[in-house]
């Protein structure tokens, strides 16, 4: 198939071949609220008859690279069906405007950071509950689907800040989202000649997700500092609390500011993992 034909038919082929629901664009309510944005477009909250409240992630697609990104994200998100993953409903398009959509479940509490920032306090049990739910979702992706997420935390290049924009919360429960950078090693065993390379690279990708999980756990265990610096001097903090928070904050700041160093495996420049050099 030449590129022209591919461009014309990729959407239909993709939806049919992967059994993905193509939601007619007319069925999506045009009254919508912007709830986020990222590299490929804007995310809106709206409704549709079939699913009620929904979030739609809009992609402006005008070249092959954008098609590939859309396909990768929708395909992987469609595979991941678990109570700790934001539910994928289908895709939609406004072909005239070259706008394409991933249609998914709406998380009413927003990101984990939004959720934390609205809480005055959180006991250890609640923090452990949230970490456990994130681990459940990640374990499902790694162990059941051979998918590495690759974007659990967001690092801002200039400010070297990290936060959990892709860990969403719905009715107090964790929902992992955004499979735009994810990699699927599902058919790893089918390619016997690449098996060793693939399985070792999957391990490396998993390690990077686990690093992100570590940052999330630190943020959760320490959230008052990472979210509300000013609370450190607040009168509501007892002196002991402040000392403990300060110590944890120092650890988190050190960790967040330290670059990850590549550690080469067996002197092979192609296989390496990132690790902290403590
Ligand atoms: N299903 C959802 N429910 C509620 N809010 C959402 C949902 N999906 C996305 N958002 C909001 O939109 C923001 C951006 O979404 P997302 O990270 O998926 O976009 P992106 O284009 O992939 O971003 P980036 O390119 O930075 O990775 C999220 O941080 C979140 O605030």
């Amino acid at each position: 198939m030449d590129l022209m034909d591919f461009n014309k038919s990729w959407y239909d082929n993709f939806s049919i071949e992967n059994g993905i629901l193509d939601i007619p664009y007319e069925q999506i309510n045009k009254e919508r609220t912007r709830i986020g944005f990222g590299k490929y477009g804007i995310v809106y909250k709206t409704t549709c008859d079939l699913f009620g409240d929904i979030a739609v992630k809009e992609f402006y697609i005008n070249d092959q690279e954008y098609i590939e990104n859309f396909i990768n994200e929708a395909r992987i998100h469609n595979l991941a069906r678990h109570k700790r993953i934001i539910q994928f409903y289908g895709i939609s398009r406004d072909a005239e405007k070259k706008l394409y959509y991933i249609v998914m479940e709406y998380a009413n509490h927003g990101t984990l950071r939004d959720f934390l920032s609205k809480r005055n306090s959180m006991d250890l049990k609640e923090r452990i509950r949230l970490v456990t739910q994130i681990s459940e979702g990640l374990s499902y992706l790694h162990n059941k689907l051979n998918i590495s997420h690759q974007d659990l935390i967001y690092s801002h290049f200039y400010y070297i800040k990290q936060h959990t924009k892709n860990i969403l919360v719905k009715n107090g429960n964790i929902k992992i989202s955004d499979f735009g950078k994810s990699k699927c090693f599902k058919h790893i065993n089918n390619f016997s000649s690449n098996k060793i390379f693939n399985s070792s690279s999957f391990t490396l990708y998993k390690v990077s997700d686990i690093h992100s999980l570590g940052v999330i756990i630190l943020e959760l265990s320490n959230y008052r500092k990472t979210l509300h610096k000013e609370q450190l001097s607040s009168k509501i903090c007892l002196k002991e609390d402040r000392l403990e928070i300060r110590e944890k904050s120092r650890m988190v700041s050190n960790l967040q500011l330290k670059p990850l160093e590549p550690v080469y495996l067996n002197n092979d420049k192609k296989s390496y993992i990132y690790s902290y050099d403590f």
Side-chain angles (χ1 to χ4, degrees):
M1 194 191 297
D2 74 16
L3 195 62
M4 285 284 285
D5 287 338
F6 178 74
N7 280 341
K8 267 190 233 151
S9 58
W10 70 267
Y11 179 89
D12 294 323
N13 289 343
F14 171 61
S15 145
I16 293 163
E17 280 166 15
N18 291 277
I20 289 178
L21 183 64
D22 173 15
I23 300 166
Y25 186 60
E26 312 74 66
Q27 285 185 14
I28 296 176
N29 190 341
K30 301 299 166 299
E31 268 179 38
R32 51 197 195 177
T33 317
R34 187 170 133 163
I35 50 174
F37 66 92
K39 189 175 166 205
Y40 294 105
I42 301 171
V43 182
Y44 299 97
K45 179 198 171 193
T46 182
T47 57
C48 86
D49 290 343
L50 206 52
F51 300 108
D53 284 348
I54 52 171
V56 291
K57 185 164 171 178
E58 183 180 80
F59 295 69
Y60 176 73
I61 293 184
N62 65 351
D63 73 17
Q64 185 69 22
E65 190 196 326
Y66 281 70
I67 293 174
E68 280 164 18
N69 287 326
F70 179 86
I71 285 180
N72 182 60
E73 178 160 351
R75 181 185 281 138
I76 293 185
H77 199 163
N78 180 47
L79 289 173
R81 296 189 176 269
H82 188 272
K83 60 184 173 182
R84 299 291 158 240
I85 310 283
I86 207 87
Q87 199 180 335
F88 176 88
Y89 291 145
I91 54 177
S92 189
R93 67 174 158 181
D94 178 356
E96 252 174 51
K97 293 188 181 155
K98 295 184 183 161
L99 292 175
Y100 293 78
Y101 297 90
I102 285 179
V103 182
M104 61 189 141
E105 174 182 19
Y106 169 66
N108 58 344
H109 285 128
T111 65
L112 178 60
R113 177 158 283 197
D114 298 335
F115 181 65
L116 293 176
S117 67
K118 287 183 190 121
R119 306 276 297 244
N120 288 327
S121 64
M122 187 182 282
D123 62 20
L124 185 63
K125 216 170 143 193
E126 174 67 349
R127 294 176 208 212
I128 291 174
R129 185 183 73 85
L130 294 171
V131 169
T132 306
Q133 291 193 345
I134 299 168
S135 309
E136 276 169 14
L138 192 57
S139 163
Y140 165 76
L141 291 173
H142 283 183
N143 302 324
K144 287 268 186 286
L145 299 184
N146 287 358
I147 286 173
S148 76
H149 186 281
Q150 290 300 296
D151 200 18
L152 287 174
I153 52 169
Y154 167 78
S155 303
H156 193 293
F157 181 73
Y158 296 107
Y159 301 105
I160 323 182
K161 275 186 180 167
Q162 296 177 316
H163 76 85
T164 53
K165 78 178 182 68
N166 293 328
I167 308 289
L168 303 180
V169 182
K170 181 177 181 186
N171 299 330
N173 291 309
I174 294 294
K175 304 274 174 180
I176 296 176
S177 80
D178 190 2
F179 293 85
K181 298 196 179 79
S182 301
K183 296 209 180 327
C184 181
F185 294 78
K186 200 173 170 58
H187 305 295
I188 200 166
N189 292 326
N190 295 346
F191 304 108
S192 48
S193 60
N194 289 333
K195 190 174 170 187
I196 295 168
F197 173 76
N198 277 339
S199 57
S200 67
S201 57
F202 181 42
T203 304
L204 300 180
Y205 281 110
K206 283 198 287 191
V207 166
S208 125
D209 280 346
I210 298 297
H211 158 256
S212 303
L213 180 64
V215 173
I216 294 165
I217 291 172
L218 280 169
E219 173 161 333
L220 259 168
S221 71
N222 191 56
Y223 80 101
R224 270 200 287 186
K225 159 66 172 64
T226 41
L227 300 172
H228 306 296
K229 241 183 194 167
E230 68 279 5
Q231 281 194 354
L232 277 176
S233 58
S234 156
K235 284 185 189 149
I236 58 166
C237 283
L238 295 170
K239 194 177 166 205
E240 292 77 28
D241 280 350
R242 288 214 296 274
L243 286 174
E244 191 194 332
I245 290 169
R246 206 171 291 157
E247 175 55 20
K248 283 184 181 169
S249 307
R250 195 187 55 76
M251 282 164 55
V252 172
S253 307
N254 285 348
L255 197 58
Q256 291 184 349
L257 289 170
K258 258 181 135 142
L260 284 165
E261 299 290 339
V263 177
Y264 296 105
L265 308 172
N266 306 325
N267 291 330
D268 173 5
K269 289 281 172 201
K270 274 189 199 150
S271 44
Y272 55 85
I273 57 171
Y274 283 101
S275 167
Y276 283 115
D277 179 20
F278 284 108

